[in-house]
Structures are given as structure tokens and as C-alpha cells.
Amino acid sequence: MSKLNDADALKQLLALSYRLSTEKNTTKLLEDILMSAKALTHADGGTIYSVTDKNELKFETLVNDSLKLHMGGTSDTPINFDCIPIYIEGQANKDALVALAAATHETINIEDAYQAKEHNTSAARAMDKKTGYRTQSVLTVPLENHEGDINGVLQLINAQSDELVVPFDQKNTDLVLSLASLAAVALTNKQLILDMEILFQSLAKLIAQAIDEKSPYTGGHCRRVPELTMMLADAVNKVNIGPLSDFNLDNDEKHTLSVAGWLHDCGKIATPEYIMDKSTKLETVFDRIELVSAKFEIVNKQFEIEALKFPDKKAEVVQKQTQLMEDKAFLERINIGGEFLPQDDVERVAQIANEYKIERNGELEPVLTSTEVRYLQIQKGTLSDEERNVINHHIDITILLLESLPFPKHLRNVPEYAGGHHEKMDGSGYPRGLTKDQMSLPARMMAIADIFEALSAGDRPYKEAKKLSECMKIMGFMSLDQHIDKDLFNVFIHEKVYLQYADKFMNKKQIDLIDETKIPGFSPLIS
Ligand SMILES: [Fe+2]
Ligand SMILES: [Fe+2]
């Protein structure tokens, strides 16, 4: 084998440094480092190790040309060797050259493992006994970054020259050292990026958890939506028939979608709890029905005084008191907002307000203020239009917050994916009134997940848990009405995402039998 000249060595180093900066997979990166060092020095074999958080060396890739071995790394043969501790009882582990190099930050160059007096090479010799190999020259180099941290160890075995095993000479050693420092910096950068990525994802989860904790009305919504979104994304990746058969999200896009899922309702941070948790029509920070009831008690006392003053009117007053208590009970009942309030009842609220007066500061005032009348007249649910707007405003805040973040390139779609979950395919959604064509497929996935989670949730105090079949029926009508993406909904059914989700998150008693053919708007996928 001819010796590498300087120009070739430089070329190899440059090629590797390019790969170091572009390779995303750390396992592959480590293997690249090993292979380049092996080629540069014409070594017969070698091993590369990473450092675990327990300060042990983990075998990443092992190669040996003579033994035709390629284990770990990109090979199909996993390495099952135990990790090697760098320290034993606080002292450098001298039983393994790789551990010693890592502990001392020093390169160890041995001409012949069988003659080495200063180092313990018994492990190599024991291995040779099993394989019939003869380990001779050994170069062990710690991968030390610019901050003096060791993030791996590279070991090369049996440098060769003209088919003979020779020691690793100074030039080769220097080359490997340059390569090792390049590699160490690349590994450090990679680790830093990974750490930041994990930190950011944890922060996204933390925000979701804080919102879920903030209000029982959101329950586990922020936690479940990302999970359901990813289930649907995996199903879309898997499906190989129908209009979405060619669509595929790569790992980066899936990561973006997951982050978007965790942050999709982050704007709820700014939604006042008294509105988010509003359980009755008159509730603000407290339920104003108490105030209304107290005012009715005052009216009642006024009637009692009237009866005392005018004994001949007693029967009439008692009748008025009965009516008063009925009206009070009526208001207390409709304050709950459980059912739709018919027009007659809306008018009755106004009549009651006019019917009774209370005396305050010498003046007679209607028993209900105009605000109380307006809130009690809410026909559906407990929220006034203004309060509904405040709730809906969370999506504007979500978009505002997310668009203000300097996302790196691979996460730049987070705001679009997260901000579209209240849009409808026909353009009737909010806040932007986007249509299907104006939304990315991942954003449309999030919209389905958001609705299905809310429909199927069994942990919201304001509603009974729906059966799975009911949820599917409602979703089916939404698909027919072009509120949700029909093609995605078909995959949702075809790949049984609804069942996968139900098994994980819904109560057993909610899960009933689903006849897919009966789901409105479902068209079976055909190839
Ligand atoms: Fe939302
Ligand atoms: Fe949501």
C-alpha cells in the first residue's frame, strides 16, 4: 500500500471536515471519523467510542479489514460490548487504553502491544486469543474539543506500509490528531444543537402543561393535541393509496409539527381565567348570581314591610312574593346556561328586570342591571359575544407570539402549522379565514386534531363525555361541510387513527363500535 502524500492527506482532511459539518446523524459522523483516520494512516482496524453521561466509553463502530469485521455504526451488526468506565473509584481506568487516553487527555502510541511495558494491553491480547488476530501497533487518541472536554476516543490498530504492520509514525499521528480535534468540535457543536433542541422542546411542553394546569376547562388538551397530530402525520406517511399516498413528512418536518402541536394554544396564556373557566352566565371573578339573589331578598323584604304596613293587602303581597321566588329560581336556573334559551325566556328576563325595583339611596332601580339582563339573555352557553371574542383571541396571540420567535430554518413553519387550527377549509374559520389551498397539510392535520381532542375529551367540567361514534359523526359532518380536510379525515378513518387515539386517551365507556361505512362523508380509499 502506497503512503499517502501531503496533498492527498489534506484533501481527505478537507473532505472529512465538510462531512463533519453536514452530516446530521451522529452515529454516521463517528463512523466517518473512524474511516477517515483509518484511511489516512492505512490502519487495518479501529474503533470509535462516544462518552456517555455516566462518563463511560460506548462502542460506536468497530472495523477490522483482516477479520472482515464491521460492527455498530451503519452496519447491521449491533455491538453488545459493555461500556468501559473512564474512571474506577475516582482513578483513571488503566485497564483499558481508551479509558486511560480519555482520563489523561493524552494520545497513547504503542509500537507493539505485546511488548508494551508501561501500559496494560491484556485486554487486546485476550481478544486476540479468541480471534487469532495479532494486535501490534495501537494509536489511541482522545477527541478533545476546544473547551478541553473529551467527547469520544478513537483507536486505530496496526498501521500498514507495504503490507507490513508498522508503528504509527509521527506524521500519521499528527494527521490523526488534527482530525481528532476537528471531529471533537463537530461533535460538540452537534451536542450543543441537540441540547438546545431538547431544551426548546421541553420549554414548549412546559408552556402546554402550564396552560393545561391553568384551567380544568382545557384539561389535557395541549398535551393531547400534539400526540394526535403526530398519530395522523404518521398515518399520512404510511398510507399508500388515495390522494395523499405520495405525501411524506420527513423527520425535520415531523419535528416542526410536533413543536407546533405543543405550542398551538400558547396564546391561552393571555386568556383571563375567569373567562376561560366561565361556568355560568353571570360569572366574572365570582358568580354575580349571588348578588342578584341578594337583591331579590331585598325585594322580598320590601314586600314583607308592605304587608306589615297594609295588612288588608297581605294576600296580594303573598302572591307577589311567590311569583318573586319563582322568578328568582328561574334566573338561577337559566344562569347555568346548560340548554339553549328560547326567545320567550329571553323576554321573561327583560320583564323580570322591569317588574321589580329596589330602593337604593332613596331611588328606585330595576332589580337587574342592564349588564345582568344582557348576560342572563345569552342563548347558547355562558359566554357573551365579547367574552367569546376574548376566547377566540387566543389564536391571534398564539400567532403573534410564535411569529415573534426567531425560529431557525428547520422550525420556521411552526407559526403556520400552529396558527391555522381554527381555520376551516371553506374559509369560514378564524382568525384569517384561510381556505384549504392557503393552508399546508400539517396545519390542516392540526385543525383535525384540535377538534377531535375537544370533541372526545372526557375531562371537561362543562360537558358530558361523548361516545366515539358521536365524535366521528360530528367530524363526518364537518368533513361534508368542508370545515375539515376531507382527504385527511379519510386517512384518519382508513388508518384507524381515531381508534389508536381512543385506546390511549378516551375512557373505556366512551369507546363504542364504529361502522365506518356509516360515518358521514367517508369515502373508502382506493388505489
Ligand atoms: Fe386554539
Ligand atoms: Fe387547541
Side-chain angles (χ1 to χ4, degrees), residues 218 221-222 225 261 264-265 268 394 421-422 446 449-451 453-454 460:
T218 336
H221 178 76
C222 296
V225 168
H264 85 281
D265 269 340
K268 283 185 180 167
H394 81 271
H421 68 270
H422 293 298
M446 189 93 67
D450 190 65
I451 296 170
E453 194 290 329
R460 309 290 208 274

Side-chain angles (χ1 to χ4, degrees), residues 346-365:
V346 171
E347 278 152 30
R348 186 171 166 193
V349 175
Q351 282 159 11
I352 293 172
N354 284 326
E355 180 72 30
Y356 307 108
K357 311 273 184 227
I358 52 171
E359 199 182 315
R360 277 226 301 228
N361 302 326
E363 300 218 4
L364 283 178
E365 287 175 8

Side-chain angles (χ1 to χ4, degrees), residues 350-475:
Q351 282 159 11
I352 293 172
N354 284 326
E355 180 72 30
Y356 307 108
K357 311 273 184 227
I358 52 171
E359 199 182 315
R360 277 226 301 228
N361 302 326
E363 300 218 4
L364 283 178
E365 287 175 8
V367 69
L368 296 176
T369 65
S370 57
T371 310
E372 285 159 353
V373 170
R374 195 157 51 84
Y375 276 82
L376 285 165
Q377 284 177 328
I378 293 170
Q379 289 190 279
K380 199 177 161 204
T382 61
L383 296 174
S384 67
D385 289 347
E386 300 95 301
E387 288 167 336
R388 171 83 47 209
N389 286 339
V390 172
I391 294 260
N392 290 353
H393 187 52
H394 81 271
I395 191 67
D396 299 287
I397 300 176
T398 295
I399 294 171
L400 192 78
L401 293 178
L402 294 181
E403 286 188 346
S404 74
L405 288 182
F407 282 107
K409 200 169 141 211
H410 70 285
L411 289 175
R412 66 173 177 244
N413 289 328
V414 166
E416 197 265 334
Y417 291 176
H421 68 270
H422 293 298
E423 302 290 356
K424 292 177 182 169
M425 302 307 107
D426 62 357
S428 65
Y430 63 95
R432 291 176 172 165
L434 300 176
T435 58
K436 178 178 173 181
D437 296 344
Q438 294 170 306
M439 294 171 72
S440 67
L441 209 61
R444 289 181 246 154
M445 290 179 194
M446 189 93 67
I448 289 190
D450 190 65
I451 296 170
F452 191 75
E453 194 290 329
L455 277 177
S456 62
D459 62 353
R460 309 290 208 274
Y462 58 94
K463 68 179 191 89
E464 290 273 310
K466 283 191 173 52
K467 290 259 194 260
L468 181 59
S469 58
E470 254 179 285
C471 303
M472 293 305 283
K473 195 169 150 193
I474 297 171
M475 294 291 281

